[in-house]
Amino acid sequence: MTTSVGSVFGAVLDPVNRHNPYPLYTSLRRTPVGREPDGTWLVTTFREISALLHDPRISSAVDPDREPVGLAPSFLRTDPPQHDRLRRLATRQFGPPHRPTFVADLQQSFEGIVDRLIADLPASTADLVDQFAYPLPVLVICELLGVPLADEPRFKAWIDHALAAAENPRDTPAFRELGDYLGDLVDADPEPGLLRSLAHDDGPDGRMTRDELVGTALLLLIAGHETTVNLIANASLVLLREPRWIERLLDDPSFAIPLVEEVLRWDPPVQFLPWRTALDDIPIGGTTIPRGATVTLLLAAGNRDAAHVSDPDRFDPDRRPVQHLGFGDGIHYCFGAPMARLEAQVALRALAPVLARARLLEDPPEYRPSPVLRGPRHLRVALQ
Ligand code: HEM
């Protein structure tokens, strides 16, 4: 991702606007498909983003000049047929038809983790990111993959470095070190969990190679660290700002379902998808994206497109239907969506009584540096 200094998108990337990029997205939507001063193309409206997410002329494949050296790309960054084979292999372990109750069976474990985290919250002030929203998905993904939790601080540091250096990943050894760590785990035959199941699966597509296994583990570990945390934190923030939704949640636990969907629309954890490439000239939105161009899809701007949803800036969990791009769309549609939804619903239901007696100590809160995986770094609250 390069910065377009001086442009509206440059302002989106600027940390001073991290707490509220939405007015900038409103300006950007005036040009549904536009070329930035640095030559990249931005797509900002729902219809055009959706169309491109389904367009085989848009590639997700890795540009060898921009990616960490020596690591096999995960299926997030590959195109068919390689993508489809890897995704099929991973999906076999993650849900229907091969393991139809996989996600539903996780509910009890989520509830146990959530209850423990809530019981451990301090009595007077708490940080709902450090002490709740962050540890939950991390505990879940480590347990699921069979990655030793004791090693979490090590790979957390690698992930932080790697994402902070996302401007130029070739310069960071962090991805490689994390890859080496996961490679050692794979070689040592991991604990029971997803990694081990993937390593031993003999389905119609054969087995993943060692490199593919490491790439997939890396993807799942990062996805499990950096997205659900923002969903829970973004939801907690909107609830703290509008306590009537906390009341609704306390009265009706099933309200967690539309609540989570509206957060995914209104303040999504993944704001945009950078680095796609046009494989051909693509006429769209009154212009033509030229072959070879880098294309950025602004999911969070599309989610608030008035041509797609009425009164888009209003947070309204009662709107129906809630059709959003929070999990992407098309062949790369989020593989972890059913799990992330359940995790966030369980978390918010259990957190509601805490939120009901919490007051935000810092508003807006400090945000994490990334404009892509965007969410509060801390949510400090006083508890009565
Ligand atoms: C709230 C939480 C989450 C959000 C908002 C989210 C969002 C997304 C988005 C927007 C994409 C599309 C990327 C693209 O098209 O380039 C994606 C893909 C993906 N997500 Fe998630 N994600 C979440 C949680 C998870 C979790 C918990 C996992 C794993 C357990 C996961 C695994 C993946 C994978 C493997 C892909 C790539 C799918 C493919 O390329 O076919 N995600 N996610």
Side-chain angles (χ1 to χ4, degrees), residues 252-291:
D252 173 13
S254 72
F255 180 60
I257 297 168
L259 180 71
V260 164
E261 279 329 284
E262 179 67 346
V263 175
L264 283 160
R265 181 194 75 81
W266 190 78
D267 200 15
V270 180
Q271 295 267 301
F272 51 91
L273 303 172
W275 303 327
R276 272 174 161 79
T277 312
L279 298 176
D280 205 343
D281 289 351
I282 305 177
I284 184 161
T287 181
T288 297
I289 301 177
R291 180 192 168 98

Side-chain angles (χ1 to χ4, degrees), residues 75-76 83 87 219 223 227 231 273 276 326-328 331-332 334 340:
F75 55 96
L76 178 71
H83 163 272
R87 183 164 171 138
L219 171 63
T227 51
L231 178 56
L273 303 172
R276 272 174 161 79
F327 287 123
I331 64 163
H332 293 281
C334 179

Side-chain angles (χ1 to χ4, degrees), residues 147-201:
V147 170
L149 196 58
D151 292 339
E152 198 276 333
R154 283 168 71 204
F155 52 76
K156 156 86 175 112
W158 287 324
I159 291 174
D160 281 353
H161 276 126
L163 291 177
E167 293 279 315
N168 196 354
R170 275 196 158 240
D171 287 346
T172 172
F175 263 117
R176 237 164 314 142
E177 286 174 19
L178 186 52
D180 288 346
Y181 165 83
L182 291 169
D184 289 346
L185 269 187
V186 167
D187 292 341
D189 204 14
E191 307 276 306
L194 214 55
L195 260 188
R196 188 182 184 147
S197 312
L198 284 171
H200 293 275
D201 187 24

